[in-house]
Amino acid sequence: MKGISPRVVAGLQALRKAGVATAVCSGRPRGLVRGCVTDAGCMDYFVTANGACVTDKDLNVLIRRPIPQKDALALYERLKPLKAFWRIHTGEDTYAEMGGFSYMAAGTPDAGGKGLVPLVKKLFSFKTGRMPAWHNRPSALPGLRRATDGVEKMDCSFPSPENMAVAERIMEQQGIWEYAEMGEAELEVTLKGVTKGTGAEVLASYLGVPIERTVSFGDGGNDLPLIGHVGHFVAMGNATPELKEQADEECPTIEEDGVAVWIEQVLAEAASSR
C-alpha cells in the first residue's frame, strides 16, 4: 500500500477539526492496514476486511463478524477442484498461497514461467511479500486450521473467469456467502450480510450518527455495497463504470487526490454559507 497522500491527509484532518468522524472502509484486514494508514494520524476508526471488523484508531477491535472456521474450511475444500488460490485473512495475519495473484499484492496471473525460481522472484517483487502481516505459504490451510475464532475474509484467484463463475454459482447455492468480484478472476468472500456497506452502518450505529449524515468514497467492486448503506456515495474518477453509474456524484481520481478535492470544496462551501 502506498498510504494516503499528504493532501488527502490534510483534508481529512480538516474534517476532524470540523467535528466530523473519519474512517477507512477497506477490503484489507487489520494487519495490512497497520502502518502506512494508521501512521497518517487522520483516521478515527477503521472498517476492515469488507466490514468484518470495526476498530478504533489504534486498531483495537470494537465489533467483529468473522466467518466460522468450519464454514471457511468447507468452502476451501469445496472450491479446490476449481484450482482456487487462497488468501486467508484472520485479522492480524494473512496466509497467501504462492502461485495465485491478488490486487492486494499488486499481483497478476503468473506469466513468468513455472517452477521455483520464477515463483520466488515474483514473491519478493510483491510489496505485501515484505509486510510482516503477509505470510506467503505453499498452502493457506495450516493458517486456516489455526484460526479457531474464525476468519474475517477469504480471497481467492482462479486460472480463468470460467472457474470463478462456477465458484460463484456454488456459493449462491449454499446461501451463506457474500462475494465481490475484484477483476476477471479474483473474488473476496465474507459471511452473508457482511459487506463494506453493513460495516459502515455498524460504525454509524456505534457512533449514534444517522445514516443520512454519512459520506463514503469508492472505486472498486467491493465498494458497490456501500451504495444504499451510506447517505451519500462519491465515486472516484478511476472507479468502475458500474460504480460511477450508481454513485450520487463523482470526484477526481485517486492520483489527482480526488477525496481531498471533494473535501476542500465542501468545506469552502460551508465556510461561505456562514
Side-chain angles (χ1 to χ4, degrees):
M1 294 179 69
K2 295 186 297 183
I4 306 176
S5 78
R7 184 179 179 184
V8 174
V9 170
L12 291 166
Q13 289 174 336
L15 279 181
R16 295 175 78 195
K17 288 181 181 178
V20 177
T22 59
V24 163
C25 198
S26 177
R28 299 172 188 267
R30 283 166 283 145
L32 299 184
V33 169
R34 191 182 303 280
C36 57
V37 180
T38 54
D39 292 350
C42 58
M43 291 296 167
D44 298 307
Y45 300 94
F46 292 89
V47 179
T48 60
N50 283 356
C53 188
V54 177
T55 78
D56 65 15
K57 64 182 178 63
D58 298 314
L59 295 180
N60 297 308
V61 176
L62 302 175
I63 300 161
R64 189 169 182 263
R65 302 183 292 168
I67 302 168
Q69 186 190 45
K70 64 178 180 60
D71 294 324
L73 284 166
L75 185 64
Y76 183 98
E77 294 297 334
R78 182 69 180 82
L79 300 190
K80 186 179 291 185
L82 298 174
K83 300 180 180 179
F85 285 91
W86 290 95
R87 272 83 56 201
I88 305 298
H89 305 287
T90 64
E92 287 291 352
D93 292 284
T94 292
Y95 299 95
E97 293 182 337
M98 297 184 291
F101 57 95
S102 169
Y103 81 94
M104 288 191 186
T108 55
D110 284 325
K114 297 184 181 298
L116 182 60
V117 173
L119 191 61
V120 171
K121 286 183 178 179
K122 181 182 175 186
L123 166 62
F124 285 101
S125 71
F126 285 173
K127 291 181 180 179
T128 48
R130 299 188 292 273
M131 294 178 69
W134 184 281
H135 312 288
N136 287 289
R137 299 286 187 269
S139 171
L141 192 54
L144 177 52
R145 285 174 173 159
R146 287 194 293 270
T148 55
D149 59 346
V151 300
E152 293 178 6
K153 187 163 73 84
M154 304 170 69
D155 302 342
C156 52
S157 55
F158 299 88
S160 71
E162 291 75 19
N163 285 31
M164 184 175 80
V166 174
E168 290 176 342
R169 289 197 293 271
I170 290 171
M171 287 189 287
E172 287 168 2
Q173 290 169 359
Q174 293 179 340
I176 63 170
W177 304 108
E178 295 282 352
Y179 63 84
E181 294 183 354
M182 303 301 292
E184 293 185 353
E186 183 174 3
L187 292 174
E188 295 188 336
V189 182
T190 51
L191 198 61
K192 189 73 174 178
V194 176
T195 66
K196 283 188 177 183
T198 61
E201 282 189 339
V202 165
L203 176 58
S205 176
Y206 178 85
L207 297 175
V209 175
I211 292 298
E212 58 268 24
R213 299 191 63 181
T214 61
V215 178
S216 184
F217 301 83
D219 63 354
N222 60 0
D223 295 316
L224 196 58
L226 284 162
I227 298 173
H229 290 273
V230 294
H232 192 79
F233 183 83
V234 184
M236 305 299 298
N238 55 286
T240 63
E242 183 180 14
L243 209 58
K244 288 183 178 181
E245 184 179 339
Q246 297 188 47
D248 296 298
E249 66 173 305
E250 184 179 332
C251 70
T253 67
I254 290 177
E255 290 72 19
E256 297 169 311
D257 290 333
V259 172
V261 172
W262 189 91
I263 291 172
E264 290 162 3
Q265 290 174 346
V266 167
L267 290 178
E269 290 172 4
S272 65
S273 65
R274 290 172 187 164

